[in-house]
Amino acid sequence: AQSVTQLGSHVSVSEGALVLLRCNYSSSVPPYLFWYVQYPNQGLQLLLKYTSAATLVKGINGFEAEFKKSETSFHLTKPSAHMSDAAEYFCAVRGGSQGNLIFGKGTKLSVKP
Amino acid sequence: ETGVTQTPRHLVMGMTNKKSLKCEQHLGHNAMYWYKQSAKKPLELMFVYNFKEQTENNSVPSRFSPECPNSSHLFLHLHTLQPEDSALYLCASSQDQGGANVLTFGAGSRLTVL
């Protein structure tokens, strides 16, 4: 069975500061991992995905995530936060070729001017 | 129109009403999904259809009834709902199920049950 834990339901950073959103997963098979973003009154939009091709994955809007098997982590980072990054971020895992996507509870990112 | 379109965006209904949510995708995807998003809870997968056939019913109460007439359209029929059913209902589609397939989401239908 797969599961996802996002540490911190709310993260606040200053504009220009590093963004770090944490995600740990559990999967009995090599996982596919995803980060989605949800802006207010919108659906979820894919930021990036890990499919075993490379451990460091670059996504849209300057975000990237690193897959660390030893730590079962897939943390999302961005070097410099922008006001437009304020949104809710969801980590998701799918175990292997079968199975459905399992989402974490989400982390709401606030960016202070 | 491209992407995944959901209508209505907002719906208020009484517990005895019958209403339907509609989802349409113009991406040529084969799989479609209904998710429920409630405050402070993870997204809950409700139903999955692949090539119009239901492949997943995640123990959803029978007051929610899905319908998938073709690969481009998905409905969620609602009847005798409870106030705790108030939530954002998200529709999504993907090329196929499983693996690295990416879900494309609609903007959601915000449901309020009085």
Side-chain angles (χ1 to χ4, degrees):
Chain A
Q2 295 81 241
S3 67
V4 173
T5 302
Q6 290 185 242
L7 297 174
S9 59
H10 193 190
V11 170
S12 181
V13 300
S14 297
E15 193 173 18
L18 171 72
V19 175
L20 171 60
L21 304 181
R22 299 178 188 273
C23 173
N24 288 89
Y25 69 92
S26 171
S27 178
S28 56
V29 296
Y32 296 96
L33 294 158
F34 305 79
W35 275 100
Y36 283 83
V37 60
Q38 185 178 31
Y39 298 102
N41 301 314
Q42 294 187 31
L44 279 70
Q45 176 186 352
L46 181 72
L47 271 179
L48 51 81
K49 67 177 182 181
Y50 166 76
T51 60
S52 78
T55 57
L56 183 62
V57 182
K58 294 189 184 298
I60 62 171
N61 302 337
F63 284 94
E64 62 182 37
E66 186 172 8
F67 172 71
K68 291 187 177 180
K69 184 178 178 180
S70 60
E71 299 177 9
T72 60
S73 69
F74 191 57
H75 302 331
L76 181 71
T77 60
K78 181 174 180 177
S80 177
H82 193 272
M83 296 296 290
S84 60
D85 295 326
E88 191 156 19
Y89 293 79
F90 294 89
C91 182
V93 64
R94 180 187 286 126
S97 60
Q98 304 300 319
N100 292 304
L101 211 52
I102 305 299
F103 285 88
K105 290 186 176 182
T107 298
K108 186 165 287 188
L109 176 67
S110 299
V111 182
K112 298 174 290 187
Chain B
E1 203 168 336
T2 60
V4 179
T5 303
Q6 291 188 242
T7 54
R9 291 293 311 276
H10 299 274
L11 178 62
V12 179
M13 58 187 290
M15 289 192 287
T16 58
N17 291 157
K18 290 184 180 181
K19 298 286 185 183
S20 296
L21 306 181
K22 179 183 176 182
C23 176
E24 188 173 357
Q25 57 97 1
H26 300 278
L27 301 168
H29 289 169
N30 300 313
M32 295 189 77
Y33 310 76
W34 279 116
Y35 280 87
K36 177 183 179 182
Q37 186 176 31
S38 307
K40 298 186 180 5
K41 293 176 71 174
L43 266 74
E44 299 173 58
L45 179 64
M46 300 175 72
F47 302 102
V48 183
Y49 280 81
N50 199 27
F51 292 98
K52 302 190 300 179
E53 299 299 318
Q54 188 179 114
T55 57
E56 185 97 16
N57 177 339
N58 201 20
S59 303
V60 180
S62 60
R63 58 185 183 269
F64 294 92
S65 175
E67 179 190 0
C68 189
N70 54 61
S71 291
S72 298
H73 294 85
L74 185 63
F75 295 88
L76 189 62
H77 303 300
L78 317 168
H79 62 98
T80 58
L81 294 191
Q82 305 298 311
E84 59 264 29
D85 297 324
S86 299
L88 182 67
Y89 289 85
L90 291 165
C91 175
S93 69
S94 63
Q95 186 62 54
D96 293 295
Q97 268 191 277
N101 280 286
V102 173
L103 270 62
T104 299
F105 283 84
S109 293
R110 173 73 62 186
L111 173 66
T112 302
V113 181
L114 301 177

